[in-house]
Amino acid sequence: MSIKKIDYSLYLVTDRSLVPEGKSFLGQIERALEGGTTLVQLREKDTETGAFIDFALQVKELTRRFEVPLIINDRLDVALAIDAEGVHIGQDDMPLREARRLLGPKKIIGVSCNNEEEAAIAIAGGADYLGIGAVWFTSTKKNIKEPMGIEGLQRILKSIEKNPVPTVAIGGIGPKNASELIEGSYTGKLHVDGLAIVSAIMAAEDPKVACEELAGLIGNSLKKVGAKSDHSVENAIAFAVQAAKNIKEKTPMIHHITNYVVINDNANATLAVGASPIMSTNPQEFEDLAAINGAMLLNMGTLNDVDSMIKAAQVNARNNNPVILDPVGCGATSHRKKILSRFLELCDLTVLKGNAGEILSIAGLGGKSRGVDSVGNDDEKVLVSAVKSVAKQNNCIVGMTGPTDYISDGTRVIAIDNGDALLPMITGSGCMVSSIVACFTAVNRDDYLMATVSGILTVTVASELAAKREYVNGPGTFRAALIDELYNVANEPELLAKYARIRVIQ
């Protein structure tokens, strides 16, 4: 599944019947966007299709100007007609699987849930987020089920702790109860990612003022329950240590479709950190494997059956498994460029992990590949711009490896200065990094940016420790030592804290 990096914190659900006299519907939305609304859902239950499309295009002009996603309630036809960022469907609307088939893997699909069973079904079906409610009675929806209250919201959150997706609470929410709701429903492991608000914004005399107040309340409460907005060096290192422990504890299966040159090393590296590799390329197994898989790793090194690779990615995305693509040599030939375009278009990627030449090529910034070697650019500003732009364009985490590694989710960029000079001297070291990233994303799904940082950091620290061994005299002896040190770091992850050299750039 892709990260679909969306800020759900202040989620506006529109209702034109609430607009105060003397105000306009579009004006209310514009003022809300000025006040910090992070996502807009256009809800028009009684509007004819043609008029709905015309109206939605006007709203889209506003949301695009503020770079905020626009979600259409229920109506997939309208969402497709205006190329909205996604749809929100209820329990009585079009089935989720059919909605995904029509919209494709890149669009956001949210699902309304009122109990644990509905939440589990939505997550299993590939929902990008859950709209949980109604928490309290609301005037904007008639004939709703009995409100669940804070306790009901917390119960649903607790039920999805092992397989979380973003969540927003809805129903009777305003400035008087927003903080109580976020803090009171926190399970100790999981919190809501945002609040879906209708009346408190749409009926406000000045939605900008209302949204500024709500944004402040929501932000403060999310900080109190530990929302991961602080990606400091200290937090990144602490995350990596715990993330390594999580792999050892949960021993996830990692499905590889990788190139023939590196199969053995990738499998051994996966085992060394505590995960379990499977290297199947048979499409008849994909559905069964995806049901128990931790992560799906695709490697473009040897392109023998691209259709099967794409199928594997799609099956795993439907099962909410992270999908990691290593675009080996993607800029080397016109054929590889075309294949990469297919992956980016048809697959719901979580992480795109490549070397500088590959990522710069994808970004259109001049990177080249010579075989599997990187021919890139060492200007940090260029490299940072590349990872950010590729991450934002493809709605995924991007990890660029090199003398310094750069990892981004499209907004934040973290640099890793670890890594021994022998690392790029062994064939497939970059592919090995991708395998380890897959291991970390498999069991650390709450923050794919930090999981990717953790995976790359683990390999680079292990490479430095391997190079220090007395018997390591070159690439051959280094290769064996690297597997050993991956094993040692996995069993003593505090080594990451001891040796990490990380910078938070943005």
Side-chain angles (χ1 to χ4, degrees):
M1 61 186 298
S2 72
I3 59 166
K4 290 188 173 68
K5 187 63 183 178
I6 306 299
D7 183 350
Y8 292 96
S9 59
L10 183 49
Y11 184 135
L12 168 62
V13 180
T14 67
D15 186 336
R16 70 168 72 202
S17 71
L18 296 173
V19 176
E21 186 176 351
K23 307 286 185 179
S24 71
F25 182 69
L26 291 174
Q28 293 292 91
I29 295 175
E30 183 172 20
R31 288 294 284 174
L33 289 164
E34 291 173 351
T37 288
T38 61
L39 189 147
V40 174
Q41 180 190 133
L42 183 59
R43 187 163 69 185
E44 292 286 318
K45 291 292 186 183
D46 302 315
T47 304
E48 295 293 331
T49 300
F52 195 165
I53 290 173
D54 290 340
F55 196 59
L57 286 170
Q58 296 178 61
V59 176
K60 181 181 172 182
E61 285 185 16
L62 290 174
T63 56
R64 286 288 169 90
R65 174 149 53 93
F66 287 88
E67 298 185 342
V68 167
L70 174 62
I71 303 294
I72 303 299
N73 180 269
D74 185 21
R75 296 288 299 273
L76 269 76
D77 55 340
V78 175
L80 287 166
I82 71 162
D83 191 27
E85 281 71 30
V87 296
H88 187 91
I89 55 179
Q91 291 295 316
D92 299 322
D93 297 330
M94 178 179 289
L96 174 56
R97 189 173 292 271
E98 183 65 15
R100 178 62 72 197
R101 185 186 69 80
L102 292 170
L103 290 177
K106 301 294 185 180
K107 297 298 185 180
I108 305 164
I109 301 182
V111 178
S112 296
C113 300
N114 186 254
N115 56 53
E116 296 94 314
E117 181 182 5
E118 290 175 354
I121 292 171
I123 292 174
D128 293 303
Y129 75 92
L130 306 181
I132 303 176
V135 179
W136 292 297
F137 279 116
T138 171
S139 61
T140 62
K141 278 209 170 189
K142 309 301 180 185
N143 301 319
I144 64 169
K145 299 175 183 177
E146 185 70 21
M148 64 179 61
I150 293 176
E151 297 79 7
L153 172 59
Q154 185 183 59
R155 192 166 56 248
I156 294 175
L157 290 175
K158 194 166 186 62
S159 75
I160 66 171
E161 284 180 342
K162 292 184 178 180
N163 192 20
V165 298
T167 56
V168 294
I170 188 167
I173 302 170
K176 292 183 179 179
N177 56 23
S179 296
E180 175 191 8
L181 178 58
I182 294 172
E183 295 168 35
S185 61
Y186 179 48
T187 70
K189 293 183 178 179
L190 199 64
H191 56 77
V192 291
D193 295 275
L195 303 182
I197 297 174
V198 190
S199 303
I201 298 176
M202 293 305 301
E205 278 300 311
D206 188 345
K208 181 175 186 288
V209 173
C211 286
E212 287 173 342
E213 180 185 9
L214 285 162
L217 292 168
I218 293 168
N220 287 336
S221 290
L222 287 174
K223 286 180 182 178
K224 288 183 180 179
V225 298
K228 293 179 175 60
S229 58
D230 178 12
H231 285 90
S232 64
V233 170
E234 293 77 14
N235 284 351
I237 293 172
F239 186 101
V241 171
Q242 183 58 50
K245 293 177 181 178
N246 292 344
I247 298 173
K248 297 289 289 185
E249 177 185 346
K250 299 177 182 179
T251 62
M253 185 180 84
I254 310 299
H255 184 183
H256 292 65
I257 300 182
T258 190
N259 74 74
Y260 299 151
V261 178
V262 301
I263 287 178
N264 189 62
D265 282 353
N266 284 12
N268 284 329
T270 300
L271 286 167
V273 298
S276 177
I278 186 167
M279 321 306 271
S280 173
T281 59
N282 190 330
Q284 295 182 23
E285 294 188 306
F286 291 171
E287 290 282 357
D288 290 342
L289 291 176
I292 57 173
N293 198 19
M296 181 73 235
L297 173 62
L298 304 172
N299 182 299
M300 285 179 50
T302 46
L303 296 171
N304 295 308
D305 191 349
V306 174
D307 289 340
S308 289
M309 294 173 75
I310 290 172
K311 179 181 178 181
Q314 293 172 339
V315 169
N316 275 273
R318 287 200 299 271
N319 282 269
N320 290 320
N321 298 325
V323 178
I324 294 82
L325 175 66
D326 191 331
V328 177
C330 64
T333 66
S334 58
H335 175 65
R336 286 180 177 272
K337 291 177 182 178
K338 291 177 182 177
I339 296 302
L340 175 66
S341 295
R342 288 188 65 196
F343 279 118
L344 296 179
E345 178 184 354
L346 299 175
C347 301
D348 197 4
L349 301 179
T350 309
V351 181
L352 184 63
K353 201 295 301 174
N355 61 37
E358 292 154 356
I359 301 302
L360 287 168
S361 175
I362 297 169
L365 294 174
K368 297 180 181 179
S369 297
R370 182 175 57 241
V372 297
D373 297 326
S374 170
V375 184
N377 187 314
D378 60 2
D379 185 329
E380 182 160 274
K381 289 183 179 179
V382 173
L383 301 177
V384 168
S385 175
V387 293
K388 285 184 67 176
S389 66
V390 174
K392 184 170 289 188
Q393 289 166 10
N394 296 284
N395 201 22
C396 65
I397 302 297
V398 171
M400 176 196 290
T401 53
T404 294
D405 307 307
Y406 299 95
I407 305 95
S408 179
D409 61 1
T411 303
R412 302 162 292 177
V413 181
I414 295 176
I416 301 173
D417 292 317
N418 294 92
D420 190 82
L422 283 172
L423 191 56
M425 299 303 294
I426 59 172
T427 299
S429 61
C431 303
M432 187 185 296
V433 173
S434 297
S435 289
I436 302 305
V437 167
C439 296
F440 275 84
T441 58
V443 294
N444 298 286
R445 301 186 180 193
D446 55 331
D447 194 327
Y448 285 127
L449 175 68
M450 287 294 102
T452 304
V453 170
S454 301
I456 296 174
L457 178 65
T458 296
V459 179
T460 54
V461 168
S463 75
E464 294 175 347
L465 296 173
K468 292 177 181 178
R469 291 191 170 202
E470 290 185 8
Y471 64 81
V472 171
N473 299 308
T477 46
F478 172 76
R479 176 171 169 262
L482 179 59
I483 299 292
D484 289 343
E485 290 299 344
L486 283 172
Y487 175 82
N488 291 335
V489 170
N491 283 282
E492 190 181 346
E494 290 76 16
L495 290 168
L496 296 173
K498 182 176 181 180
Y499 293 108
R501 299 195 303 278
I502 293 178
R503 292 178 287 130
V504 176
I505 295 179
Q506 293 177 348

